[in-house]
Amino acid sequence: MRTTIKDIANYTGFSVTTISLVLNNKANKIPKSTKDTILEAVEKLNYHPNRLAVGLVKKRTDTIGLIISDVSNVFFSNLAKGVEDECRKKGWNLFLCNTNDKHTRDLSYIQALADKGVDGILFCMSLDSDKKKAMESIKLFEKLKMPFVMIDRFLEEATCSSVVVDHVQGGYAATKYLLDHGHKKIGCITGPRELEDSCDRFAGYKKALDEYEVAFRKELVYEGKYDCESGATGADYLLKQDVTAIFAFNDMSAYGAYNRMNQKGIKIPEEISLIGYDDIFFSELLDVPLTTVHQPVYDMGVEAVRQLAAEVESERGSRKCITFQPVLIERASVADKKRSKIK
Amino acid sequence: MRTTIKDIANYTGFSVTTISLVLNNKANKIPKSTKDTILEAVEKLNYHPNRLAVGLVKKRTDTIGLIISDVSNVFFSNLAKGVEDECRKKGWNLFLCNTNDKHTRDLSYIQALADKGVDGILFCMSLDSDKKKAMESIKLFEKLKMPFVMIDRFLEEATCSSVVVDHVQGGYAATKYLLDHGHKKIGCITGPRELEDSCDRFAGYKKALDEYEVAFRKELVYEGKYDCESGATGADYLLKQDVTAIFAFNDMSAYGAYNRMNQKGIKIPEEISLIGYDDIFFSELLDVPLTTVHQPVYDMGVEAVRQLAAEVESERGSRKCITFQPVLIERASVADKKRSKIK
DNA sequence: CTGTTAGCGCTTTCAG
DNA sequence: CTGAAAGCGCTAACAG
């Protein structure tokens, strides 16, 4: 059996109250001598408080949950790393929950975590959530009075903090970079049109085009699925449109395009410039390191925990929306547009 | 305030015992009618048991911990995925702990998880653990009477289950494959020599050489660090030794070698064959998809949870050591040795 | 079949 | 300064 506070009481002759007091630093008026005997006993008997019991009475467990779709996705694993590192600093523990983008799992994890007494939840809504489903999740949080911060996706209606990245800016930066390199026929391989982040990047793309007074042409837009395969078919399509540069809305589809062009013997960046989005660790390892838009995922994880901490401490109120600016990482996959090419 | 079992008691008029009984399916002798009223009330008042309280008395929390060095490493994130998926199936929750390979964190996480009442721990010992430190961890588990299963690394002395992969076999298979393709001068880029898995792969490499009666030559061995950079310098070195094939002990160093050869204009696999180890998702996305040794990481995660479940249920006893066989994934980075080349 | 009661291990008034 | 006692929400003998 583990040593309990009672054991310490018996051993030292003091009452459990006194023990508890000194262990929780509420021992203003307890003489150093008794403090010391107690601390010694704690050491000697190797006493460690049972956190379940503590949690039961304090209604605080120093534990939070992280709900994401899939840790094996590099985006999320980096996020999780940031989250866990920050938790460790705070002396917290982290529950990891993968929903695989199933909304019903969002719901069941939220409830399960609440039942286990977490102090708060970091919530990356599942992708199959339409507005109605999203509100369902939010309502559940509210019903449970569970502090939470939304990551990567945000809902106006939610009374919570959030940390997101400005994808409009990201899309804008990537496109502008291409434009600055003289490209005008810039194809893009988007993500699924339902996804807000894809729409945002698209908005950024258009904004840059506008700013440079390059007419938007919808035949230069290919709707991909954020995966390699659709990146490859996207490249096939755009090549036929005779683009000089491709902006893939995530690195995975950029890889697909990259490989396809390689197969076809099309040189990057000499013949076609390519730019990605995400900055997966792999992108810099390619033969032609990929120029891409970096999302500060790890930092977002850290910040999310801090927001949650604020939320937990202050009993709501914070409700801040922290926006991270993505940053363009210049590598080798973009070159000036060849003058030789017509138009 | 959350509804408690007492609320249900008050609401239905039955005692808390009765409620508890039906909720825990120990209601053999309780008439369906009362069962139904209770279940209805539970539904209506939206009652969810407080798991902290349950855990306190039952000494079971349906929660386990996973201690690894770093989730942002693809190996571990895939492992974690397998673990979490299996946990979900069992209705368990998962604590995620990153040690960054610091042994003291192994210790503090083990204790912290125990304090929070986990039923067991999946333990991937930190890399800076020598035998003595490793035993320290094991002893702690034993002192705490905490069920655990070791993953990826195993210690004879430990009375626990473990799931590992047979790296000797992996190294053997990779080397044999190269030999079968007519290569005799096979260079290898190992991992740090302190690491057991690297030694094992090396043993497999030698074993295959022996079997094919190809003399081992130590100048064909380059000690790398399991990263891209050392892979590149390893390639530089081995190229000077005039090898016809390179076996990199992990995919990261294989990428390093791959890129370096690309830079030098050396064609893979025409001029040099290359084989990796790990089968990171990226390996198949390369221009020349990398032939590599696949470790069934996800499945290991799943199996580890099952082992732990057995351990937890049967109050020790199992103590099985499950060995996974790595499998060679044939892709495009290995070719028959050119006859033209001398020797 | 159902209720009473005693904990699980800890914190926290409230007395003294 | 320290201790007794109540209670967090639940389970599990033990009665009846």
Side-chain angles (χ1 to χ4, degrees), chain A residues 4-10 14-22:
Chain A
T4 72
I5 197 171
K6 235 174 180 170
D7 296 328
I8 305 292
N10 289 146
F14 291 104
S15 74
V16 293
T17 312
T18 311
I19 317 292
S20 175
L21 252 27
V22 342

Side-chain angles (χ1 to χ4, degrees), chain A residues 2 51 61-63 70 81 84 88 93-94 96 98 109 111 115-116 255 259 262 282 285 287, chain B residues 2 51 61-63 70 81 84 88 93-94 96 98 109 115-116 255 259 262 282 285 287:
Chain A
R2 281 174 63 117
R51 297 287 164 203
T61 54
D62 292 335
T63 298
D70 179 2
K81 185 76 188 312
E84 211 272 342
R88 187 178 332 101
N93 286 111
L94 211 221
L96 175 70
N98 294 154
Y109 271 126
Q111 183 69 56
D115 296 346
K116 296 214 170 165
Y255 302 144
N259 282 339
N262 259 311
F282 233 91
L285 304 181
D287 299 358
Chain B
R2 279 173 63 116
R51 297 287 163 203
T61 53
D62 293 336
T63 298
D70 179 1
K81 184 78 189 307
E84 210 271 343
R88 188 178 331 102
N93 285 112
L94 212 221
L96 175 70
N98 294 156
Y109 271 126
D115 297 347
K116 296 214 172 167
Y255 300 144
N259 281 340
N262 259 310
F282 234 90
L285 303 182
D287 298 359

Side-chain angles (χ1 to χ4, degrees), chain A residues 54-283:
Chain A
V54 176
L56 189 55
V57 16
K58 280 210 199 171
K59 269 105 189 63
R60 272 296 202 83
T61 54
D62 292 335
T63 298
I64 66 169
L66 171 65
I67 299 179
I68 57 183
S69 79
D70 179 2
V71 242
S72 67
N73 174 144
V74 289
F75 178 89
F76 290 116
S77 67
N78 281 313
L79 181 79
K81 185 76 188 312
V83 168
E84 211 272 342
D85 276 355
E86 187 64 17
C87 280
R88 187 178 332 101
K89 278 192 194 150
K90 291 191 149 38
W92 290 358
N93 286 111
L94 211 221
F95 275 120
L96 175 70
C97 309
N98 294 154
T99 63
N100 273 94
D101 283 319
K102 293 203 197 347
H103 169 251
T104 54
R105 283 197 192 152
D106 281 358
L107 260 23
S108 62
Y109 271 126
I110 294 171
Q111 183 69 56
L113 290 175
D115 296 346
K116 296 214 170 165
V118 298
D119 298 335
I121 292 175
L122 262 25
F123 184 47
C124 234
M125 193 167 29
S126 68
L127 244 41
D128 78 340
S129 305
D130 50 29
K131 199 132 194 170
K132 188 168 147 254
K133 288 180 179 172
M135 279 315 291
E136 228 180 321
S137 302
I138 307 294
K139 288 268 183 264
L140 182 53
F141 278 119
E142 286 170 353
K143 197 177 71 188
L144 295 168
K145 296 197 198 327
M146 175 66 68
F148 70 109
V149 355
M150 296 189 70
I151 298 183
D152 204 39
R153 295 187 75 186
F154 176 59
L155 219 64
E156 278 304 329
E157 293 82 349
T159 39
C160 68
S161 289
S162 61
V163 355
V164 299
V165 359
D166 183 347
H167 293 301
V168 177
Q169 173 58 28
Y172 171 80
T175 312
K176 176 173 158 56
Y177 184 76
L178 257 11
L179 289 160
D180 283 338
H181 280 266
H183 295 278
K184 292 207 169 1
K185 267 195 121 167
I186 301 174
C188 67
I189 302 173
T190 73
R193 83 176 62 221
E194 320 80 80
L195 299 190
E196 209 178 311
D197 57 4
S198 177
C199 293
D200 286 352
R201 290 166 210 193
F202 185 64
Y205 165 80
K206 273 179 138 170
K207 183 180 157 203
L209 252 31
D210 270 10
E211 202 172 298
Y212 279 68
E213 295 179 339
V214 172
F216 166 71
R217 302 216 232 146
K218 78 171 194 293
E219 65 273 22
L220 265 32
V221 178
Y222 179 86
E223 183 181 344
K225 294 178 188 156
Y226 275 163
D227 62 3
C228 258
E229 212 183 310
S230 64
T233 55
D236 279 338
Y237 168 80
L238 293 174
L239 255 17
K240 276 191 220 126
Q241 307 302 316
D242 211 30
V243 300
T244 66
I246 295 178
F247 169 24
F249 281 20
N250 78 341
D251 280 0
M252 283 307 277
S253 54
Y255 302 144
Y258 179 98
N259 282 339
R260 179 54 52 91
M261 294 201 270
N262 259 311
Q263 285 160 19
K264 295 194 171 184
I266 298 172
K267 292 260 173 292
I268 300 173
E270 292 79 2
E271 299 176 58
I272 296 271
S273 287
L274 177 64
I275 194 164
Y277 202 111
D278 275 351
D279 193 26
I280 288 181
F281 74 102
F282 233 91
S283 303

